[in-house]
Amino acid sequence: MKIRFWGVRGSIASPGPKTVRYGGNTTCIEIRTDNNELIIIDAGTGIFPLSQTLLAEMPVTANVLITHSHWDHIQGLPFFIPNFIPGNTLRLHGAFDPVSGKGVEQVMSVQLQYSYFPVREAEMKARIEYITLAPEQSIQIGSATVTPFLMNHPVIDFGYRIEAHGKSVFFTGDHEPPQNIYEPGEEGYAEYQTFVDEKADDIHRAMKGVDVLIADCSYTEQEYPAKKGWGHGTFHTSIQYAKEAGAKVLFCTHHEPMRSDDALDAVFQQVLEDNPSKTGDPEYRLAREGDTFEF
Amino acid sequence: MSPELSQKLTAAVDGMPAFPKSVQKILELTRDVNCSPKDLVQVIDKDPVVTVKVLRVVNSAYYSLPKQITSINHAVVYLGFNTIKNLALSIAAIGMLPANNEAGFDAQQYLLHSLSTAGIAKKLALQLDDIDPMDCFIAGLLHDFGKVVFAQFMPKEFKKALQISQSNNSSLHLALREVVGTDHAVVGAMLVEKWRFPADLVDTIRHQYSPELNDTPMVACVFAANQISKKLGFGFGGNPYIEGLTPTIANRLGGTLDEVIASLGNLEPLFEEAKIFSKV
């Protein structure tokens, strides 16, 4: 299995001299099974450079998994070049949105409105299919088994577990570990805590035993209190997940758009010092645009 | 019930507005980006319409849950607070349930009756061991949901049934069967079953007039709470007829209706709280 990061930035694309090492594109991860089947998780701006490399292997069947519908995870979709060339297929997978009452097709239709993009879907030459997934209902993509799990973010967010040929990877999408909304001792605290604990168990089960965990590490522990409820994790919470899952490698992603390369290095250095590696611990890495990891 | 009627009532609930106080509170709370989840949950779970609509979404086929969800708190953990907040907001945007409807059904008194039944059912459940008090609260809150749907969408028929029940001091569900051909227990159960609510909740609503057909702790709590609420005049759901406890329910709760009321102690605070919420 091969993983390549095409976008690791959170919230908004952040090009410029200060982000040139880790990259400024928003979330997009390419996964290749050992059979070379193409799975793309999220369609942030990173999907545009990825799509250019696909022109060498047409006809392309791109299985795109959308974690959630926020801009930084879908914005590159209209610029997915194979869409404009006959013979290619885009299969877009994602969640049902209970507020709008629509399936994954809305992440495309919203962006292809005439005021925002010049080409209508009917004018796109590739075959485009929409597959709205239900939590914990696995689907098969070639040799890969893909299972979505409900995570915690301001919109419905799926974490995806992908397993093929005995290898596995889990990506959280944007995720903040849920917390009790009541104070200890308040009525409702105990009941709510049972739900939180159940949810935590579900998430552990989702990640259990994966080789590679890719997780939302937007904030440091010091930054987190001011960002509580925004739907993002910290380096600390993700390291905890990686340890509990028994993952071999943790890739920290969704880098803050205001965090320069130097600042990111410094923050990560501190994280490593705070979490000294013991035998059997996962290896901790920063996701970097362009990096490939094969296992 | 005819398939046409069932379809009509199911579709009608989509556009049904919530109670004025919760609409007001939801709009007020959601104006603040840092809206407290706890405050919002406490508004949602006191409004039968909003509760039904939120639980309907979370239990829908799109999430194919291994176990159905009955509590708003659970829905918040499952779908995330912001999603529940925006669901509540879209319900609030429909408008407010009018204080006066063509049926002459007092929505405020109905809400008071539903809330007090919910509160008493929860209190009764706390005295038993094998039942979740919050499940009983929701069942109490929703036991008469069918009535508010009738009042909204079949006001003429509902008005007639209310009049018959009032003039004979007979149970409203019998009058409804006479006029509409079905009653609010059947309709309420049909709706929540369609929305994949848990079976014990569906059955409790369905058998609220025939508790002997479904001898469970939840039925005992909700049936007794309903009669207690009526007897003490905590609101009014349109049904003046008070039934005694069946032997099995009396056995589960340890006494007759009056003995159970005495065992509950002071219900005034519970009623006061319900009153605050139902007031426009």
Side-chain angles (χ1 to χ4, degrees):
Chain A
M1 194 177 269
K2 201 155 84 178
I3 297 170
R4 182 160 182 186
F5 294 97
W6 290 93
V8 296
R9 196 60 58 175
S11 307
I12 188 161
S14 309
K18 288 184 175 165
T19 55
V20 82
R21 293 205 306 277
Y22 287 97
N25 278 310
T26 61
T27 304
C28 180
I29 304 166
E30 175 185 6
I31 294 172
R32 296 282 183 163
T33 65
D34 293 349
N35 292 358
N36 203 36
E37 286 131 339
L38 170 62
I39 296 174
I40 300 167
I41 313 188
D42 279 342
T45 58
I47 204 171
F48 179 58
L50 159 62
S51 72
Q52 291 163 52
T53 67
L54 299 175
L55 301 180
E57 50 174 295
M58 289 195 297
V60 175
T61 297
N63 297 284
V64 177
L65 309 174
I66 300 291
T67 60
H68 67 293
S69 57
H70 284 160
W71 284 125
D72 53 327
H73 297 255
I74 64 167
Q75 203 164 19
L77 264 185
F79 294 91
F80 187 66
I81 307 301
N83 283 350
F84 301 98
I85 302 163
N88 295 325
T89 302
L90 169 70
R91 281 200 193 109
L92 197 65
H93 304 73
F96 172 78
D97 175 356
V99 176
S100 69
K102 292 192 174 126
V104 69
E105 69 283 354
Q106 90 170 327
V107 304
M108 191 69 120
S109 62
V110 159
Q111 298 192 77
L112 297 188
Q113 294 176 82
Y114 131 93
S115 303
Y116 306 108
F117 198 72
V119 184
R120 290 176 306 128
E121 187 175 332
E123 293 168 313
M124 291 192 170
K125 298 284 185 265
R127 186 183 164 82
I128 302 177
E129 297 169 7
Y130 300 104
I131 301 152
T132 298
L133 303 173
E136 305 196 30
Q137 306 283 305
S138 300
I139 57 159
Q140 204 64 33
I141 295 177
S143 61
T145 305
V146 175
T147 313
F149 290 88
L150 263 179
M151 308 300 281
N152 182 47
H153 197 57
V155 282
I156 298 292
D157 179 284
F158 276 158
Y160 289 102
R161 183 181 180 117
I162 300 168
E163 298 165 292
H165 303 283
K167 296 160 190 173
S168 55
V169 53
F170 187 93
F171 176 44
T172 59
D174 290 4
H175 171 66
E176 175 178 9
Q179 288 172 25
N180 205 317
I181 59 174
Y182 299 88
E183 298 299 326
E186 268 182 329
E187 196 193 343
Y189 178 85
E191 187 208 22
Y192 202 91
Q193 195 56 41
T194 62
F195 301 142
V196 169
D197 293 344
E198 254 175 52
K199 179 87 177 182
D201 288 345
D202 289 345
I203 291 171
H204 291 150
R205 194 163 39 81
M207 297 174 175
K208 190 85 201 148
V210 284
D211 298 300
V212 178
L213 175 64
I214 307 169
D216 174 355
C217 300
S218 292
Y219 309 129
T220 63
E221 268 199 290
Q222 294 71 34
E223 291 161 344
Y224 178 68
K227 322 272 184 181
K228 211 175 149 183
W230 291 18
H232 295 288
T234 66
F235 289 97
H236 181 84
T237 56
S238 296
I239 283 175
Q240 208 49 41
Y241 278 138
K243 280 186 182 172
E244 283 161 3
K248 296 191 182 75
V249 186
L250 165 70
F251 281 100
C252 299
T253 190
H254 207 276
H255 307 316
E256 275 285 272
M258 295 291 281
R259 197 147 14 235
S260 68
D261 290 329
D262 290 344
L264 186 55
D265 277 333
V267 156
F268 193 60
Q269 195 50 46
Q270 188 60 50
V271 166
L272 294 179
E273 280 167 30
D274 295 344
N275 294 275
S277 192
K278 291 196 258 335
T279 334
D281 276 355
E283 182 189 344
Y284 308 129
R285 295 197 192 180
L286 283 173
R288 189 166 62 176
E289 196 173 311
D291 271 4
T292 300
F293 182 74
E294 195 166 358
F295 61 106
Chain B
M1 192 181 344
S2 71
E4 291 78 22
L5 179 59
S6 144
Q7 211 169 14
K8 180 183 161 188
L9 294 174
T10 311
V13 175
D14 287 336
M16 189 160 149
F19 287 84
K21 186 77 162 209
S22 31
V23 170
Q24 223 176 62
K25 287 294 273 182
I26 288 166
L27 293 176
E28 183 189 312
L29 287 169
T30 54
R31 261 200 289 275
D32 177 8
V33 72
N34 296 318
C35 157
S36 140
K38 195 170 60 187
D39 292 347
L40 191 69
V41 165
Q42 280 167 5
V43 172
I44 295 175
D45 76 3
K46 286 186 187 63
D47 185 310
V49 178
V50 188
T51 294
V52 149
K53 289 189 174 191
V54 169
L55 293 182
R56 184 175 68 159
V57 166
V58 65
N59 287 307
S60 73
Y62 296 108
Y63 302 108
S64 57
L65 297 168
K67 202 177 96 202
Q68 287 109 324
I69 288 181
T70 47
S71 101
I72 299 299
N73 274 328
H74 200 176
V76 169
V77 177
Y78 193 79
L79 293 184
F81 171 64
N82 203 61
T83 294
I84 301 299
K85 176 172 125 182
N86 280 281
L87 271 176
L89 197 54
S90 60
I91 298 163
I94 295 174
M96 293 181 190
L97 210 57
N100 301 307
N101 48 57
E102 260 184 84
F105 182 63
D106 189 328
Q108 198 178 329
Q109 287 295 318
Y110 159 88
L111 182 57
L112 202 47
H113 168 63
S114 298
L115 274 171
S116 59
T117 303
I120 297 166
K122 179 177 156 194
K123 225 171 163 187
L124 288 170
L126 285 165
Q127 301 178 351
L128 307 179
D129 329 311
D130 45 355
I131 179 72
D132 182 335
M134 283 317 289
D135 283 357
C136 285
F137 180 90
I138 296 276
L141 185 70
L142 301 183
H143 79 284
D144 271 352
F145 186 70
K147 284 182 191 168
V148 74
V149 179
F150 277 143
Q152 275 289 96
F153 302 104
M154 302 179 77
K156 286 196 184 69
E157 293 91 334
F158 194 54
K159 185 176 191 173
K160 200 166 165 200
L162 283 171
Q163 282 163 347
I164 295 173
S165 163
Q166 220 52 239
S167 59
N168 313 344
N169 188 34
S170 61
S171 185
L172 178 62
H173 76 287
L174 297 174
L176 275 168
R177 281 183 200 170
E178 200 180 306
V179 178
V180 185
T182 185
D183 63 50
H184 57 278
V186 174
V187 166
M190 179 276 291
L191 291 171
V192 297
E193 187 169 41
K194 207 168 209 132
W195 299 325
R196 305 155 62 103
F197 284 33
D200 54 350
L201 179 57
V202 175
D203 291 339
T204 300
I205 294 174
R206 178 176 291 136
H207 296 301
Q208 56 179 297
Y209 296 100
S210 47
E212 66 284 356
L213 294 180
N214 192 30
D215 175 26
T216 66
M218 187 190 276
V219 167
C221 292
V222 174
F223 180 90
N226 189 12
Q227 309 313 322
I228 293 169
S229 162
K230 285 191 279 187
K231 180 139 191 181
L232 301 180
F234 288 173
F236 182 58
N239 185 7
Y241 187 76
I242 300 160
E243 295 183 54
L245 302 186
T246 63
T248 45
I249 294 179
N251 191 30
R252 279 187 185 275
L253 301 179
T256 62
L257 193 58
D258 288 326
E259 285 163 354
V260 174
I261 291 174
S263 79
L264 283 169
N266 185 10
L267 291 173
E268 208 47 47
L270 185 153
F271 185 47
E272 280 306 314
E273 202 188 320
K275 232 160 58 183
I276 290 168
F277 195 83
S278 63
K279 244 189 357 223
V280 182

